[in-house]
């Protein structure tokens, strides 16, 4: 198993590979690749959908209103951004905050799988439909799955997968916020269980195909809702990370 320092160095290398990625057309419209941010040695990883306007400008995931809510919910369980690692399924902003296309998810998901493989979290909270469907390899929507923890083998390791509503879906819907908050409150007890039992023989599990079904349950605005610019209050985040400035995101993890 790698040390925290080794993981961070490996993540840096992966970031360097990702930040100039031109594998899909989103590279033509993005300002910056939003790789992810947080603790490279985190037990808990959050996986959202795609960068929005503010994230695209700042190079940091979840910096808008949805990000503020995520931070608030973390604070309520006595955690903050530096305790976790936050990433998205898609690393570049889809124009106009549209849904990612299936071929974009197909192309980009390799980076997420590699992030998970390097960080080796014991628990992954998927936020919303896109990440839940991708990591479960199943089209079941978040409204049926939220708050139901399950053990899944992702890459060579077993993790607890805990689907949650996307914070953006809870911004303007009090009942969704109530469910999200209740699900969040269980995170500490689930983390306290430690790593799930690992497969006896490490087995590489094929990356599931992204779901192509209509997104009936998707978050209305996700973390891509228009909102005032702000930098997250995290010691791991530079005050003003410049857009795509050649390694500016290396301070994020
Ligand atoms: S969305 Fe992903 S695959 Fe497409 S250009 Fe960005 S990093 Fe590359």
């Amino acid at each position: 198993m790698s040390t925290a320092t080794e993981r961070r160095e490996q993540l840096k290398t992966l970031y360097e590979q990702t930040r100039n990625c031109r594998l899909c057309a989103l590279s033509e419209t993005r300002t910056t690749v939003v790789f992810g941010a947080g603790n490279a040695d985190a037990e808990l990883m959050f996986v959202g959908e795609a960068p929005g306007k503010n994230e695209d400008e700042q190079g940091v995931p979840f910096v808008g209103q949805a990000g503020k809510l995520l931070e608030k919910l973390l604070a309520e369980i006595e955690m903050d951004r530096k305790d976790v690692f936050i990433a998205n399924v898609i690393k570049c902003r889809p124009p106009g905050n549209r849904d990612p296309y299936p071929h974009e998810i197909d192309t980009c998901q390799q980076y997420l799988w590699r992030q998970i493989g390097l960080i080796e979290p014991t628990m992954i909270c998927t936020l919303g439909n896109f990440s839940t469907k991708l990591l479960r390899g199943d089209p079941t929507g978040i409204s049926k799955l939220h708050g139901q923890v399950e053990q899944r083998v992702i890459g060579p390791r077993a993790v607890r997968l805990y689907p949650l509503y996307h914070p953006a879906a809870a911004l303007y819907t009090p009942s969704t916020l109530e469910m999200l908050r209740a699900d969040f409150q269980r995170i500490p007890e689930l983390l306290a269980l430690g790593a799930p039992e690992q497969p006896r023989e490490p087995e590489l599990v094929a990356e599931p195909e992204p779901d192509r079904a209509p997104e009936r349950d998707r978050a209305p605005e996700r973390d891509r809702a228009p909102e005032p610019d702000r930098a997250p209050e995290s010691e791991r985040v530079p005050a003003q990370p410049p857009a795509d400035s050649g390694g500016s995101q290396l301070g994020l993890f």
Side-chain angles (χ1 to χ4, degrees):
M1 181 172 291
S2 303
T3 65
T5 303
E6 288 168 341
R7 287 165 207 261
R8 186 168 186 274
E9 291 306 309
Q10 290 164 343
L11 269 178
K12 280 186 190 176
T13 302
L14 179 58
Y15 164 67
E16 289 295 346
Q17 294 168 6
T18 309
R19 76 181 185 86
N20 294 315
C21 177
R22 305 255 172 222
L23 288 177
C24 83
L26 295 181
S27 63
E28 296 165 16
T29 51
R30 74 182 178 220
T31 303
T32 184
V33 172
V34 182
F35 178 74
N39 185 345
D41 200 35
E43 295 285 306
L44 175 58
M45 190 166 171
F46 288 92
V47 182
E49 179 183 327
K53 181 174 181 293
N54 294 312
E55 289 78 15
D56 179 56
E57 290 171 355
Q58 298 184 40
V60 184
F62 283 86
V63 291
Q65 293 296 332
K68 288 181 192 173
L69 177 56
L70 181 63
E71 290 175 7
K72 185 168 187 281
L73 292 168
L74 279 170
E76 288 174 3
I77 57 171
E78 299 183 354
M79 297 183 77
D80 64 33
R81 292 177 69 113
K82 70 176 184 296
D83 297 320
V84 304
F85 195 92
I86 304 173
N88 282 310
V89 169
I90 290 279
K91 309 303 186 199
C92 302
R93 181 194 182 203
N97 291 352
R98 66 160 168 77
D99 287 350
Y101 294 141
H103 71 271
E104 291 165 348
I105 296 174
D106 278 344
T107 307
C108 200
Q109 62 177 286
Q110 59 173 306
Y111 298 122
L112 175 63
W113 294 109
R114 289 161 72 187
Q115 287 174 312
I116 293 171
L118 288 173
I119 296 166
E120 292 188 352
T122 61
M123 184 167 153
I124 299 175
C125 291
T126 51
L127 299 172
N129 270 318
F130 281 89
S131 55
T132 300
K133 292 178 179 182
L134 177 66
L135 293 192
R136 295 185 77 253
D138 180 289
T140 308
I142 191 66
S143 59
K144 287 198 172 67
L145 290 171
H146 78 90
Q148 298 178 40
V149 67
E150 60 183 320
Q151 191 168 311
R152 288 261 167 172
V153 176
I154 295 180
R157 294 182 59 80
V159 300
R160 294 184 209 286
L161 196 66
Y162 191 46
L164 303 173
Y165 278 109
H166 196 290
L171 283 176
Y172 308 107
T173 311
S175 58
T176 304
L177 176 57
E178 198 176 314
M179 289 186 279
L180 178 59
R181 177 169 275 126
D183 292 341
F184 245 81
Q185 290 294 316
R186 286 192 60 211
I187 289 177
E189 72 187 63
L190 295 173
L191 279 174
L193 295 174
E197 187 176 345
Q198 296 302 312
R200 197 167 293 178
E201 293 290 331
E203 54 182 283
L204 284 173
V205 173
E207 295 166 5
E209 287 291 313
D211 171 59
R212 290 176 169 74
E215 291 295 316
R216 282 189 293 270
D217 300 318
R218 62 180 284 269
E221 297 181 358
R222 301 169 298 276
D223 53 325
R224 298 187 268 141
E227 56 206 52
D229 290 344
R230 72 182 280 280
E233 294 172 1
S234 167
E235 66 191 39
R236 294 170 185 273
V237 179
Q240 293 181 307
D244 212 9
S245 63
S248 64
Q249 294 183 50
L250 290 179
L252 300 178
F253 44 84

